[in-house]
Amino acid sequence: MAIYIIIYLLILILTSLDFINIEEKYKKITLLCIYVILLLFRGMRWEVGTDWAQFLTCFQNARWNNIFTYYRYDELYELMEPGYMFLNVLINNIGNYSLFLTLTNAFILGTWLFLSVKLTHRPIFAFAFILIFNLIFPIRLQLAAAIICWTYYFSLKKRYVAALLVCIAAYTIHKSALFL
C-alpha cells in the first residue's frame, strides 16, 4: 500500500507544473513519464491488491466455451459481463495475466491522458484528478469508466451514434454503465 501512496503523492506534486509558466512540451513529457510509470506499475504488478486473486481466477478460468460464466468457488458459477469475459478469453489465449493488466491499463490510462490533454488547459492536474478519483474502483469498473469517457468526448463532437455505441460497449464490461 505504501508504494501506491508514494506514486500518487508524486503525481500530486507534479500537478504543480500546471500552475507555473513552463512550455507545453515539458508538461506533455511529464504526462508521458507519469503514464509509463503507472502503466508499468499497474500492468506488471503481481499479487498486489485486495481483489488480485478474484480477477486472476477469472482470467485463468476464461475460455471460449464459458464466455458468460466461469467457476469461481468449486461448483458455483459466477456470472460476468460478456465484454469483460471476451477480453479475458482473448488475452488468455495469447498471453498471461500481466499482459491482460498491461493492455487494459494502457487503454484506461491512455484514455485519461488523451482526454486530459484534449479537453483541459491543465492536463497534469486533470490526469491526476482522474487517477485519484478512480482509486476506489476495481479494474473492471475502471475499464468501463474509461470507455464511458469516450461517450463524453463523442458527445462534445456531436457524434451521438458513436456515443451510444460506446455506452453499449461499456455496459458489456460492467453493468453499472447502464445508468448512461
Side-chain angles (χ1 to χ4, degrees), residues 11-12 14-24 26-28 30-31 34 112-131:
I11 292 168
L12 283 175
L14 289 174
T15 62
S16 65
L17 294 176
D18 265 345
F19 299 96
I20 59 176
N21 193 14
I22 63 169
E23 291 183 43
E24 287 298 314
Y26 294 118
K27 290 180 182 183
K28 289 181 180 178
T30 302
L31 274 169
I34 293 170
W112 297 337
L113 179 67
F114 175 80
L115 295 176
S116 296
V117 170
K118 288 290 184 186
L119 301 177
T120 69
H121 296 291
R122 302 201 190 282
I124 299 171
F125 180 78
F127 189 62
F129 181 81
I130 294 168
L131 286 169

Side-chain angles (χ1 to χ4, degrees), residues 4 39-52 55 97-98 101-102 105 139:
Y4 282 103
L39 180 61
L40 291 173
F41 175 69
R42 291 171 58 149
M44 299 297 177
R45 66 186 176 103
W46 192 257
E47 295 183 14
V48 175
T50 57
D51 55 1
W52 170 264
F55 287 109
Y97 190 53
S98 290
L101 289 174
T102 302
N105 277 292
I139 189 71

Side-chain angles (χ1 to χ4, degrees), residues 13 19 29 33 39 42 49 53 71 81 118 126 128 131 144 160 163 179:
I13 291 168
F19 299 96
I29 290 169
C33 290
L39 180 61
R42 291 171 58 149
Y71 284 115
E81 290 85 351
K118 288 290 184 186
L131 286 169
Y160 301 115
F179 76 90

Side-chain angles (χ1 to χ4, degrees), residues 44-72:
M44 299 297 177
R45 66 186 176 103
W46 192 257
E47 295 183 14
V48 175
T50 57
D51 55 1
W52 170 264
Q54 288 179 353
F55 287 109
L56 178 61
T57 301
C58 178
F59 180 81
Q60 291 171 333
N61 290 299
R63 302 285 180 265
W64 290 116
N65 64 348
N66 69 342
I67 195 142
F68 297 112
T69 61
Y70 73 98
Y71 284 115
R72 186 171 185 175

Side-chain angles (χ1 to χ4, degrees), residues 36 87 144 152 172:
V36 169
L87 285 175
Y152 178 68
T172 69

Side-chain angles (χ1 to χ4, degrees), residues 10 23 58 60 62 64 70 73 76 87 95 109 116 140 149-151 170-171 179:
L10 176 65
E23 291 183 43
C58 178
Q60 291 171 333
W64 290 116
Y70 73 98
Y73 302 112
L76 300 176
L87 285 175
L109 295 170
S116 296
R140 198 171 97 232
C149 286
W150 289 100
T151 300
Y171 175 73
F179 76 90

